[in-house]
């Protein structure tokens, strides 16, 4: 089986959106898809076959305070508006094609972090019901700027805390050949989190989460190295930016968003012949 693995990175995920649109335009399909944070939010559009949807709604609502703003953070505890982003937008304003998502037959997993254990969880999204979209929100709920998401008796935050690059999880699902889309260049290595004093204070009731965040740079760098090692071994195909993207976790400039998206499109287009050979299509 083939797997598609999508790293997070908040608005850096627009690079991934560009890659995914090119994959769709070239008819590239996978047996499984697993995404973290923005990789989950944007990856669902790949499964539903909605080319262009990610960049369209991000540019349209870039400056809408309901979408992403410090005003939202102060008022609700979520910098990305929970109800607006994960329910109003996909249900009413720019509809997510739930029927196509289900009909695709492609299993789509979102990665979350259990704040009580500090461990990663992998949720198989069945549809786009309110509760299923809450799992996507949980996967994308960045610590310190998001509320803990409570689903089915569990408490969850951003999957990137525990498994930023879930290649091993994809392999465990039976995918022997994987394509991994990263949002950071090959030379990147994560440094210790400078916000740890705030993390310890805010999440003092969740020591396992604090520990996971304290060692996150070690875990991330190990996952990054594993991803590149599997590439050298011939079982993983990496698509990533050649240099740091022109935006960070947050961005309200549609032109910069478009630039990151186009970089993803360009990289995927350049690599398409090699990717098709890797997948046995060329």
């Amino acid at each position: 089986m083939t797997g598609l693995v999508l790293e997070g990175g908040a608005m850096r995920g627009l690079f991934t959106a560009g890659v995914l649109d090119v994959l769709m335009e070239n008819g590239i399909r996978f047996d499984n898809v697993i995404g973290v944070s923005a990789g989950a939010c944007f990856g669902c559009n790949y499964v539903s076959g909605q080319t262009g949807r990610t960049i369209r709604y991000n540019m349209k609502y870039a400056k809408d305070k309901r979408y992403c703003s410090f005003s939202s953070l102060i008022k609700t505890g979520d910098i990305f508006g929970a109800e607006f982003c994960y329910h109003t937008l996909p249900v009413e304003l720019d509809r997510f094609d739930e029927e196509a998502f289900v009909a695709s037959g492609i299993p789509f997993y979102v990665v979350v972090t259990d704040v009580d254990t500090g461990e990663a969880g992998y949720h198989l999204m069945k549809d786009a019901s309110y509760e299923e979209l809450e799992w996507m929100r949980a996967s994308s709920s960045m610590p310190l700027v998001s509320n803990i998401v409570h689903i089915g008796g569990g408490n969850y935050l951003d999957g990137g805390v525990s498994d930023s690059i879930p290649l091993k999880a994809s392999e465990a699902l039976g995918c022997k050949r994987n394509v991994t889309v990263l949002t950071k260049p090959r030379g990147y290595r994560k440094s210790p989190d400078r916000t740890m004093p705030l993390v310890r204070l805010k999440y003092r009731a969740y020591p396992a989460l604090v520990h996971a965040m304290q060692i996150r740079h070690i875990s991330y760098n190990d996952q990054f190295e594993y991803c590149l090692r599997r590439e050298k071994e011939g079982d993983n195909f990496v698509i990533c930016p050649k240099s740091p993207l022109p935006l960070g976790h947050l961005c309200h400039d549609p032109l910069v968003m478009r630039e990151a998206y186009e970089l993803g499109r360009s990289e995927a287009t350049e690599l398409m012949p090699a990717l098709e050979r890797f997948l046995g299509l060329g």
Side-chain angles (χ1 to χ4, degrees):
M1 291 201 305
T2 59
L4 178 61
V5 180
L6 306 173
E7 184 187 10
M11 300 313 294
R12 284 194 296 266
L14 288 170
F15 172 87
T16 302
V19 172
L20 295 178
D21 280 358
V22 171
L23 294 181
M24 285 188 274
E25 290 163 4
N26 284 272
I28 305 296
R29 304 296 279 174
F30 295 87
D31 297 310
N32 276 287
V33 180
I34 184 167
V36 184
S37 192
C41 286
F42 301 162
C44 64
N45 296 310
Y46 166 82
V47 178
S48 64
Q50 291 178 270
T51 308
R53 179 174 181 266
T54 299
I55 186 62
R56 181 176 64 241
Y57 74 70
N58 273 281
M59 290 182 66
K60 182 174 182 178
Y61 296 105
K63 298 183 179 181
D64 191 316
K65 291 183 179 180
R66 297 172 298 170
Y67 184 53
C68 176
S69 68
F70 286 103
S71 172
S72 175
L73 176 62
I74 293 168
K75 291 178 180 178
T76 70
D78 287 295
I79 197 163
F80 286 92
E83 192 65 26
F84 181 81
C85 291
Y86 298 98
H87 302 290
T88 302
L89 197 158
V91 174
E92 299 175 14
L93 302 179
D94 195 323
R95 290 183 63 84
F96 175 65
D97 192 339
E98 180 179 15
E99 289 186 5
F101 176 84
V102 174
S104 74
I106 301 174
F108 180 67
Y109 294 85
V110 300
V111 186
V112 296
T113 297
D114 186 320
V115 301
D116 296 303
T117 66
E119 307 250 330
Y122 306 93
H123 178 75
L124 175 61
M125 281 193 64
K126 297 180 285 293
D127 51 41
S129 64
Y130 192 96
E131 182 169 312
E132 291 295 285
L133 291 174
E134 284 291 277
W135 282 102
M136 190 174 292
R137 177 165 80 92
S139 180
S140 307
S141 291
M142 297 183 293
L144 297 179
V145 292
S146 308
N147 291 307
I148 292 172
V149 182
H150 309 288
I151 317 171
N155 307 302
Y156 305 99
L157 279 174
D158 188 349
V161 171
S162 51
D163 195 356
S164 295
I165 309 171
L167 175 57
K168 288 184 179 180
S170 185
E171 292 175 337
L173 289 167
C175 298
K176 298 187 182 300
R177 295 177 74 74
N178 289 277
V179 173
T180 302
V181 184
L182 304 174
T183 55
K184 302 179 185 72
R186 291 175 182 273
Y188 177 83
R189 294 300 179 271
K190 187 176 284 295
S191 301
D193 190 343
R194 291 178 294 180
T195 68
M196 281 308 300
L198 289 175
V199 168
R200 293 188 188 97
L201 178 63
K202 181 167 183 176
Y203 300 112
R204 56 190 178 276
Y206 303 98
L209 175 68
V210 172
H211 177 69
M213 293 189 66
Q214 185 166 338
I215 65 168
R216 186 185 178 191
H217 64 292
I218 299 172
S219 302
Y220 180 89
N221 292 336
D222 286 346
Q223 291 159 10
F224 203 99
E225 289 293 343
Y226 180 78
C227 180
L228 297 181
R229 184 165 73 250
R230 293 296 285 149
E231 180 185 42
K232 288 181 180 178
E233 292 168 353
D235 294 316
N236 185 38
F237 189 99
V238 175
I239 303 175
C240 64
K242 288 186 173 66
S243 58
L245 293 171
L247 75 180
H249 279 85
L250 304 179
C251 180
H252 301 284
D253 186 337
L255 295 180
V256 177
M257 290 180 170
R258 170 65 71 174
E259 182 181 354
Y261 169 79
E262 292 296 341
L263 286 170
R265 288 192 60 91
S266 176
E267 192 67 19
T269 300
E270 179 182 327
L271 292 174
M272 186 56 60
L275 175 60
E276 289 178 335
R277 288 194 298 272
F278 174 79
L279 295 172
L281 303 174

